[in-house]
Amino acid sequence: MQIRENFSLRHLNTFGLDQRARFFTEVHSLEQLKEALNWSKEKGLPVWILGGGSNVLLTKDLEGLVLKVGIKGREVIEENELEVLVTVGAGENWHEFVRFAISQGWGGVENLSLIPGTVGAAPIQNIGAYGVEIKDVFHRLEAIDKDSAESLIFDHEACAFGYRDSFFKREGRNRYVICYVTFKLSKTPVYNLSYGTVEETMHELGHVEPSLIAVSEAISFIRRQKLPDPAKLGNAGSFFKNPVITSQHYQSLKEKYPTLPGFPFDGGMKIPAAWLIDQGGWKGKRWGTVGVHERQPLVLVNYGSGKGRDIVHLSQTISNSIKEKFGVLLEAEVNHW
Ligand code: EPU
């Protein structure tokens, strides 16, 4: 185990924020992970678990151990003619795993193409896009308890998935390190083309019939059009969750703003935060070194030398103005460290 000191995290978070970790290590196995957890425990240091760094906002230097999970590997643990159970190391890149599944002819994750981040981080916020969420293909995961270093299995129910939410964002917050995730994928894929322009885009790209590759290409195309590439412009995807409001609240807003979109959700209405931020006049606004993306107002960006606290300030100013104008509370999707 190699421990680095005063380590810059700039290249390990997709906002490109230049904060430092007092100590940093990357682990590649359960043994190394346990060793690192024991090391920090002996020293009485807090531990932050880093995956792909695509959903964190670093607001300060971290006076503890930042532990990057680099556990790799993919293994089929069970299969029949219809389905396959595949266990994947938490440190595998999510999109690489999607490509691997597609290459094997396994369906279920093609709509989640091109989402940044690692496999281990994916269940924490139940990543989702174009009508599919990870909960739809999730089987179970193995995690280590940070305190006891004990290994535990969490099945679907234990993860208590919700919209961009799970047990690991609530009661289990900061308590576990996810090491392996097992997915149940289908050898006879059923394509989900219902969301937005997926089907249309697939045809435009010359695919007559749906296939895993056709769906993945269409979704990658749509994402590239709308979402900035973190390698070129620092961002963490959607900064806010889409708020869910009561049907009555929705009706009263709809009378005032007839173009307000809404989707029935959990007994209420889910409305696009992008629409609210756009209507609030924030789309494309630049505040010094940070700003609101010009094509997708749900995404906050760092133009290069921005600080986490600038992004916090911008996000709070946006939330306040949306609260004032529409009476709707915007909740951050990105984790603040
Ligand atoms: N809209 C505007 N103005 C804009 C852009 C969008 O008014 O400039 C409105 C439109 O009405 C549009 C609606 O917002 O129909 C929704 O936009 P979109 O379908 O692009 O989806 P989203 O709500 O912005 C969510 C996820 C994305 C995911 C897409 C596709 C959340 C917080 N975000 O975005 O996830 O890729 O749907 O499924 O749920 C992420 O989590 O990082 C992420 C990118």
Side-chain angles (χ1 to χ4, degrees):
M1 180 181 66
Q2 194 196 6
I3 304 266
R4 314 278 293 265
E5 282 195 55
N6 290 321
F7 187 81
S8 168
L9 299 170
R10 183 172 194 142
H11 300 293
L12 296 180
N13 73 100
T14 58
F15 265 124
L17 296 164
D18 194 11
Q19 300 294 158
R20 285 178 180 268
R22 177 78 182 88
F23 299 103
F24 173 85
T25 192
E26 178 165 350
V27 296
H28 301 279
S29 65
L30 289 183
E31 292 67 36
Q32 285 181 358
L33 170 61
K34 289 179 185 176
E35 198 187 333
L37 289 174
N38 282 335
W39 182 87
S40 62
K41 203 171 178 181
E42 274 166 23
K43 291 199 150 30
L45 294 169
V47 180
W48 284 270
I49 307 298
L50 191 65
S54 57
N55 209 40
V56 289
L57 176 62
L58 303 176
T59 60
K60 56 180 184 303
D61 288 339
L62 302 171
E63 292 301 323
L65 174 69
V66 172
L67 197 160
K68 183 166 163 62
V69 181
I71 299 172
K72 299 283 167 66
R74 301 184 286 240
E75 192 191 348
V76 172
I77 55 163
E78 227 179 284
E79 68 182 309
N80 58 32
E81 59 284 10
L82 297 176
E83 284 170 342
V84 55
L85 286 184
V86 56
T87 296
V88 188
E92 291 281 351
N93 173 273
W94 174 262
H95 183 63
E96 287 302 312
F97 165 58
V98 171
R99 285 169 42 142
F100 171 73
I102 292 171
S103 73
Q104 300 298 304
W106 303 335
V109 285
E110 59 282 0
N111 287 41
L112 305 176
S113 292
L114 224 59
I115 295 184
T118 56
V119 165
I124 299 177
Q125 59 150 339
N126 182 23
I127 58 168
Y130 305 98
V132 174
E133 291 180 325
I134 202 179
K135 73 168 170 55
D136 305 330
V137 290
F138 178 90
H139 183 64
R140 65 165 182 249
L141 64 78
E142 180 178 355
I144 298 285
D145 183 319
K146 270 164 75 179
D147 269 346
S148 64
E150 192 190 352
S151 172
L152 298 161
I153 299 293
F154 290 80
D155 64 9
H156 202 289
E157 200 188 336
C159 291
F161 293 115
Y163 164 59
R164 291 296 191 279
D165 196 32
S166 76
F167 168 79
F168 299 98
K169 281 190 95 170
R170 296 190 304 263
E171 303 89 326
R173 193 179 192 96
N174 296 328
R175 282 175 52 196
Y176 304 95
V177 186
I178 295 172
C179 298
Y180 291 98
V181 185
T182 303
F183 300 95
K184 187 189 268 187
L185 300 177
S186 167
K187 292 186 179 175
T188 54
V190 179
Y191 303 105
N192 186 334
L193 309 173
S194 58
Y195 190 102
T197 58
V198 175
E199 188 159 20
E200 204 179 307
T201 307
M202 204 184 70
H203 294 314
E204 272 166 26
L205 293 177
H207 298 287
V208 182
E209 292 293 329
S211 66
L212 294 176
I213 291 177
V215 175
S216 176
E217 278 183 6
I219 281 166
S220 300
F221 183 85
I222 298 170
R223 287 186 73 94
R224 285 200 183 97
Q225 301 271 305
K226 288 204 316 193
L227 296 166
D229 178 355
K232 296 187 185 127
L233 183 62
N235 77 90
S238 301
F239 191 90
F240 300 102
K241 288 194 206 183
N242 285 327
V244 179
I245 59 175
T246 64
S247 307
Q248 294 93 306
H249 191 176
Y250 179 75
Q251 281 315 324
S252 69
L253 281 175
K254 185 88 180 162
E255 276 164 31
K256 207 162 163 201
Y257 306 99
T259 63
L260 172 68
F263 312 91
F265 185 87
D266 255 2
M269 289 296 262
K270 192 193 255 186
I271 55 175
W275 187 93
L276 298 170
I277 300 169
D278 191 353
Q279 295 294 310
W282 288 99
K283 189 170 175 173
K285 276 257 164 78
R286 187 168 171 156
W287 264 33
T289 51
V290 300
V292 181
H293 192 245
E294 62 203 14
R295 287 195 302 276
Q296 174 47 290
L298 198 44
V299 177
L300 303 187
V301 298
N302 173 16
Y303 288 104
S305 55
K307 292 271 176 218
R309 59 175 180 273
D310 302 329
I311 294 169
V312 172
H313 188 208
L314 174 62
S315 71
Q316 284 171 349
T317 311
I318 294 173
S319 297
N320 292 342
S321 97
I322 298 304
K323 180 88 185 107
E324 205 165 298
K325 188 169 162 86
F326 302 102
V328 177
L329 190 68
L330 284 186
E331 204 186 317
E333 194 218 270
V334 172
N335 297 308
H336 293 46
W337 279 11

